[in-house]
Amino acid sequence: METWFSGSSSPPRPTKPKGVSGKNLGSQATIVHTTAALQASVNAPTTVLRRNTHLTSHQSLSVSPVSNPASASASTISTSSSSKATVPAAKSRYVSSPYATHHGRRYVADPKNAYPLPCDIPELNRQNLRTILLTTVYGAPFCAPSLSSKPPRTVLDVGCGTGLWSSYCHDYFTHLGYPDVEFTGLDVVPIAPDLKEQGVNWKFVLHDIRRNKLPFSDESFDMVFLKDMAIAMPTTGSEFPIFDEILRVLKPGGVIEIWESDATIRALLPQPAIPPNTTDRALQQAVATGTYPLVPGTGFSASQNAYVQDYNAWISKAFEKRMITLLPCTVISPMMLQEEKLADCGNRRLVVLLGEVRWEREGVGGRSNEGRRPSESSVGSISKGKGRQIERVALTEEQLALRSTALLTFVQMIESLEPVLKEASKKGQDEWDRWWTGMMTSLYEQKGATSGEGLEVGSWWARKL
């Protein structure tokens, strides 16, 4: 598998957590399992995994109250890792008491904040896993081709969370011989550790992007990165209300890159054609990681799993109520192409399947792949001709591990969204617990995601004129 990570080959396939049919995937025991699972599914550097483990085990989310934030131009908020956060003049009353607990999970307390995900260790664990998963399937912490030959000097990581992406990016550029790239993380809550302790040129800024201008001067950054921000910003006429601000702080010639995932789950139809503009490197990475490139015309069907169907119906209803974009992957390209200040727009979209699907296992034309041993040189091939396709020989242990990780992050997402999904389903707690147990049994014990169900993810980039 092509990867910039250092590490050995062919780790063991992770197993599902003990008691996986029960609740609380985000428990400490599961976090320990998950760290082992992602170590098996990606050959991440030991130092990066250590950062993740340190945060998971020891990083608290407590916030030191600001005595009189309205009178200060900047204050300091500290986490238990001694990270210093620059706080602009207070914009909202929940700065000194930012959290509220619902259903045993910690959420941002602002009643006007439509963000449906919790802000606690299990959710941070899910976000970290998703970052590692996407970095692995893309083969690097970014997809914009110009960045490898011309690294940025200053990077803004919007909605940085734990700062794991910035950490990965630092490692990547250091590997290329550019260790001094300056990273600025921005988020509404100060949960990132102090990455300076790991040698990153790092600064954290506390800021609510939904309500205020970005606290930076015009043309401050060579690169701006956003990941999964559609769920944090209700749509009010424009799909990404912050987009104008991003362009304002981006330097001419600078790069914007956006990573997003659609909220609903569909089933990929057999023998998907390869997009004609797919580069050889991207195609080789897809073959190596067991993923499938996609374009708007790629064939999908509705999931045949009843529990996934339930989830799709409930998340659609919940996001509509909160004016959150359900399918951000469908709107980013038009938005970027219509922007007169951007050029060299590109994108890379993938389907990361949630398990081994029947039409892969059964082969093409009745030719079964069962019993065929995979190897590093025979994980798949590209059919020739006008309608090129990826022909799988068999899945490697690494590919199976990546899909297990994708499934785990999907189930963790359902757990994190429990309050809004339960509201949309109109289920009581006992009914929800029974549904949850059935869903876990279906997806894990009965292998209920074998019809092509997968995460639809994408990266979009452009250069500012």
Side-chain angles (χ1 to χ4, degrees):
M1 180 185 301
E2 180 185 352
T3 175
W4 61 273
F5 295 127
S6 60
S8 59
S9 61
S10 297
R13 181 181 179 183
T15 57
K16 66 186 173 97
K18 183 179 181 181
V20 75
S21 60
K23 290 299 297 298
N24 195 14
L25 275 179
S27 66
Q28 187 63 37
T30 303
I31 289 172
V32 173
H33 160 80
T34 300
T35 303
L38 64 90
Q39 187 171 7
S41 61
V42 293
N43 293 325
T46 304
T47 53
V48 174
L49 288 173
R50 188 179 303 119
R51 292 171 198 161
N52 187 20
T53 305
H54 170 76
L55 174 66
T56 302
S57 303
H58 306 293
Q59 174 82 19
S60 75
L61 302 180
S62 59
V63 179
S64 302
V66 180
S67 57
N68 187 9
S71 63
S73 58
S75 304
T76 299
I77 289 182
S78 301
T79 66
S80 62
S81 63
S82 301
S83 175
K84 298 296 183 180
T86 303
V87 185
K91 309 320 195 268
S92 35
R93 67 181 63 183
Y94 65 91
V95 169
S96 60
S97 184
Y99 305 111
T101 301
H102 302 289
H103 305 281
R105 304 294 297 272
R106 183 169 4 208
Y107 293 81
V108 175
D110 182 6
K112 296 182 179 180
N113 190 340
Y115 185 64
L117 294 170
C119 184
D120 55 14
I121 288 177
E123 170 58 18
L124 300 182
N125 182 63
R126 183 197 69 82
Q127 293 178 15
N128 281 350
L129 268 179
R130 185 63 69 88
T131 297
I132 295 172
L133 175 68
L134 295 182
T135 302
T136 302
V137 299
Y138 292 145
F142 53 82
C143 294
S146 64
L147 295 177
S148 292
S149 58
K150 187 180 179 182
R153 295 183 179 180
T154 53
V155 178
L156 175 62
D157 184 358
V158 179
C160 65
T162 65
L164 184 61
W165 179 85
S166 288
S167 176
Y168 271 177
C169 224
H170 164 80
D171 290 346
Y172 186 94
F173 289 132
T174 298
H175 180 73
L176 294 179
Y178 300 90
D180 299 322
V181 176
E182 178 183 325
F183 292 88
T184 298
L186 182 144
D187 211 316
V188 71
V189 287
I191 55 181
D194 188 359
L195 297 184
K196 289 182 180 179
E197 297 179 1
Q198 284 104 38
V200 182
N201 187 355
W202 167 260
K203 177 176 66 175
F204 177 79
V205 175
L206 186 72
H207 183 76
D208 187 345
I209 62 172
R210 300 167 301 116
R211 297 183 176 179
N212 314 289
K213 290 182 62 176
L214 292 174
F216 307 109
S217 302
D218 295 354
E219 302 177 359
S220 296
F221 299 97
D222 299 306
M223 178 186 183
V224 179
F225 177 77
L226 302 91
K227 174 180 172 291
D228 295 332
M229 291 306 297
I231 197 172
M233 295 181 290
T235 57
T236 54
S238 59
E239 299 299 343
F240 278 76
I242 194 179
F243 201 62
D244 289 341
E245 275 296 285
I246 295 298
L247 294 179
R248 180 183 66 81
V249 302
L250 187 63
K251 295 179 181 179
V255 172
I256 177 175
E257 182 155 339
I258 301 173
W259 288 9
E260 277 295 344
S261 307
D262 285 344
T264 53
I265 299 293
R266 298 187 293 176
L268 183 66
L269 292 177
Q271 300 179 317
I274 297 171
N277 60 343
T278 303
T279 65
D280 290 341
R281 181 182 180 278
L283 191 54
Q284 291 169 3
Q285 188 70 13
V287 170
T289 56
T291 55
Y292 289 90
L294 68 88
V295 292
T298 300
F300 286 90
S301 65
S303 171
Q304 297 181 27
N305 185 288
Y307 294 96
V308 175
Q309 293 172 6
D310 286 342
Y311 161 80
N312 284 339
W314 299 337
I315 195 66
S316 300
K317 184 177 180 181
F319 276 25
E320 181 180 6
K321 178 180 179 180
R322 290 161 178 79
M323 295 189 296
I324 296 173
T325 303
L326 186 68
L327 305 173
C329 293
T330 64
V331 301
I332 298 176
S333 282
M335 176 186 66
M336 298 182 82
L337 290 171
Q338 292 171 12
E339 176 53 59
E340 295 179 353
K341 297 179 181 178
L342 294 179
D344 300 333
C345 298
N347 69 82
R348 187 171 167 193
R349 296 185 61 186
L350 295 171
V351 179
V352 186
L353 298 178
L354 303 183
E356 187 177 16
V357 301
R358 288 191 295 268
W359 46 264
E360 284 180 319
R361 186 171 59 250
E362 295 168 356
V364 180
R367 186 179 51 186
S368 175
N369 287 326
E370 289 189 359
R372 302 178 66 180
R373 295 186 61 184
S375 66
E376 285 299 315
S377 60
S378 64
V379 296
S381 61
I382 310 301
S383 65
K384 298 184 178 182
K386 186 175 181 180
R388 296 186 302 166
Q389 298 171 341
I390 295 176
E391 295 179 347
R392 300 284 176 205
V393 173
L395 294 177
T396 66
E397 294 296 312
E398 288 182 341
Q399 292 169 341
L400 290 170
L402 285 172
R403 294 189 184 186
S404 295
T405 303
L407 175 60
L408 178 58
T409 64
F410 170 60
V411 173
Q412 288 175 319
M413 183 74 161
I414 296 176
E415 185 184 29
S416 289
L417 290 168
E418 178 179 332
V420 297
L421 294 177
K422 192 162 61 175
E423 176 190 11
S425 69
K426 299 182 180 180
K427 290 184 179 294
Q429 190 62 52
D430 290 343
E431 292 177 299
W432 176 265
D433 289 343
R434 286 192 294 271
W435 181 89
W436 172 274
T437 301
M439 180 269 296
M440 296 295 285
T441 300
S442 173
L443 292 179
Y444 279 96
E445 297 180 10
Q446 299 173 358
K447 305 296 183 183
T450 60
S451 298
E453 288 85 359
L455 305 177
E456 295 178 49
V457 302
S459 171
W460 293 260
W461 62 87
R463 176 178 58 86
K464 181 180 176 181
L465 294 174

